[in-house]
Amino acid sequence: MNKTDKFSNKVEISFLEDFGTAIIRPLLGIFLGLLSGGILIAASGVNPFTAYAAMARGAFSTPQSFANVLVRASPLLLGGAGVAIGIKAGVWNIGMEGYMYMGAIGAGIVGILPLHIPSFLHIILCLIAGIITAGIWGSIPGYLRAYHGVNEVTVTIMMNYIAQFFCSWMVHEPQFMAEPGSFFPMSLSMVETAKLPILMRGTSLHPGFIIGIVLCIILFLIIRLTAFGFQIRMLGTNPEAARYAGVNTKKQILTVFIIGAILGGLAGAIEILGLKYRVYMDFVAGVGNESVAVALLASGNPIGVIATALFLSALKVGGATMSISTGVGGPATTIIIALCVIFVIAMGQGEPKQLRLDKEEKKDVEVNQHVS
Amino acid sequence: MSPDIIIDWLQAVLRWGAPLILVSIGEVYSERTGIIDVGIEGIMLVGALVGVIISFFTGSVLLSSIVSIIIGALLGLIVAFLTVSRKTNQVVTGLMLNLAFLGLTNIVFSFFSETRSVRVNRFPVLFPESLKSIPILGPIFFSQPISTWIALILPFLAAWVLYHTSWGLNIRAVGDNPQAAATAGLPVIGLKYQAVILSGIFAAFGGCVLTLGEVGYFASGGMTAGRGFVVLAAVVVGGWDPVRTALACLLFGATDAAQLRLQTSGSTVPYQFLQMLPYIITIVALSGLVNKSKAPKTWGQPYNPKDI
């Protein structure tokens, strides 16, 4: 078997095979996560069925509560998509929280300016500013990973902390963004023209979730249908083959990082313009990790991200109701989310590659037998 | 600045550095075998809570330490199973376990909220009053609890074990070249398990020291406040060497103590930049911009016995 054959063999990515594991594994993981969460709830003296029923009620019983789910899903959709495209390209771009802070700072700086321009234009300017700051931030780990081979997971985590402290500094008083004399350090409020419209009276439903869903679909189409997307998938499944096929892997990795950062930055910017109206430290605390969970539960598939982001935000919103009516709440939700992910990754991280390798070995053996 | 402030600051450096040093010892071993145990943040949290609960009910600090070490070993076993046997991404696994442990400690703590009302028994200060009253050295060193002294001595012992025993050699071999180690007949998987469990043990004990060394109570909502990640940073900056990592821990402890003082003194110096410092130094060290840091060759990579 000559070399070209071997590579072309590997580059061929069978969608059907991936599809099975992509659906069944997360579902099983979520089931096991909910099961062990139920055991935990039972152990703390509450009927798990009552608790989960309260949770479902809290997330879906009224239009208001479902609006709340959509609001919470907005940063998860974008952050999850950002992590997901990284997973597809074989890099762990888990700096979403940092990108959210940087995006929020960028958008916030423009958002507090009384520009006296149409709201539509002001919002666009804010989003662009957020994209630029987050994109620059994301190019740092991307560059280090692509051109210096520095472990991206460690760098992105460290950069999350740096961004968080930077954000805290930006909203402390001598800085121009800070609200003077406030007890809790925070930025000035966004001006009216920079605020996203509210879609439903009596809720805080802003169009963030629509942007998130649309971008997830676009990302899915890019990954599936374009040459660029094919290169990303090739990079993720077999970087050697990608290099062999003439892909500039370094530039590709950097691009993937910047795309992820832009999505994260958008998530932060939208959170500021649509929901919080001010930048302050910890305004997205924990959402970065949840984005990783969203992307992993979706096996890095952007369409799957839509489902898992909604699932996770329903868990979070329902968890609050569960906490009021049964006394177990917030912490239990966190554990359930974490357990779901742990079960999913424990069931088969790295396994598909191994399978493929085994199959190939078998094929090699068969070929050899034919030859002999 | 008056000398009193400096003495007070140095005392705080050792006090806050001690848990970091203890946690870092286990992490050095784990990373030397190639496994980055990010779960130390959560395991620290569990150790901190267990320490307070046991000390509250029994009053025995020794028992607190023992129980937290046992629980730490079990949690380390979970990390080892996932990262070594199931070959999951080490950092993602750690992040998720941290999330789970954070939730778990919050739930458990809500059952033991009565511990909030008192300061439980803490690690004792062994030195007599006469030593404590020595100027400068007295307050800095001799008024420290025994846990600080353990933290100051253990890195040297850990370095000796790592460089001068055959077990230490095996640990280093597994991280640098697992295939060669396996060929030489070393139980690669077993050694990785041992090192990761060790990181769990030290993380839990470090957490126990965090609460029982000074404060004597537990606060829900993540009282470790990212210290596990500071340790991860220190291990990189310390070049995966126990003693140099301990020094990095003290350095980071010093910046932390300094920023806390800046924050409370109402100074306009931006303390946030001091908070960033450990992470910036780590990225610079990782990038090899200062000197090529000597990461274990399979740092962060899964080991598959079938790869040759």
Side-chain angles (χ1 to χ4, degrees), chain A residues 92 161 168 172 296 346 354, chain B residues 86 89 92 229 271-272 304:
Chain A
W92 291 96
Y161 280 98
S168 151
H172 264 75
L296 272 170
Q354 187 55 42
Chain B
R86 299 304 307 157
N89 179 285
V92 173
F229 291 98
Y271 62 87
Q272 290 92 348
N304 189 340

Side-chain angles (χ1 to χ4, degrees), chain B residues 202-222:
Chain B
F202 275 103
F205 183 56
C208 183
V209 168
L210 181 72
T211 43
L212 299 187
E214 174 66 21
V215 289
Y217 53 82
F218 186 82
S220 67

Side-chain angles (χ1 to χ4, degrees), chain B residues 62-77:
Chain B
L62 185 66
L63 205 60
S64 289
S65 307
I66 292 171
V67 175
S68 70
I69 282 173
I70 292 170
I71 291 180
L74 290 173
L75 298 181
L77 185 67

Side-chain angles (χ1 to χ4, degrees), chain A residues 127-200:
Chain A
L127 293 181
I128 290 173
I131 285 173
I132 292 172
T133 44
I136 292 172
W137 194 249
S139 67
I140 299 172
Y143 170 78
L144 290 174
R145 167 68 169 77
Y147 293 90
H148 291 275
V150 182
N151 184 322
E152 76 276 17
V153 251
T154 324
V155 173
T156 43
I157 287 187
M158 300 291 156
M159 289 192 63
N160 283 346
Y161 280 98
I162 298 174
Q164 190 186 351
F165 295 130
F166 180 71
C167 177
S168 151
W169 178 71
M170 282 296 282
V171 299
H172 264 75
E173 233 186 275
Q175 274 59 254
F176 67 95
M177 267 186 99
E179 172 85 54
S182 71
F183 177 69
F184 185 80
M186 56 186 170
S187 78
L188 295 162
S189 179
M190 302 296 119
V191 297
E192 280 308 316
T193 49
K195 289 180 184 171
L196 291 175
I198 294 291
L199 300 180
M200 190 171 146

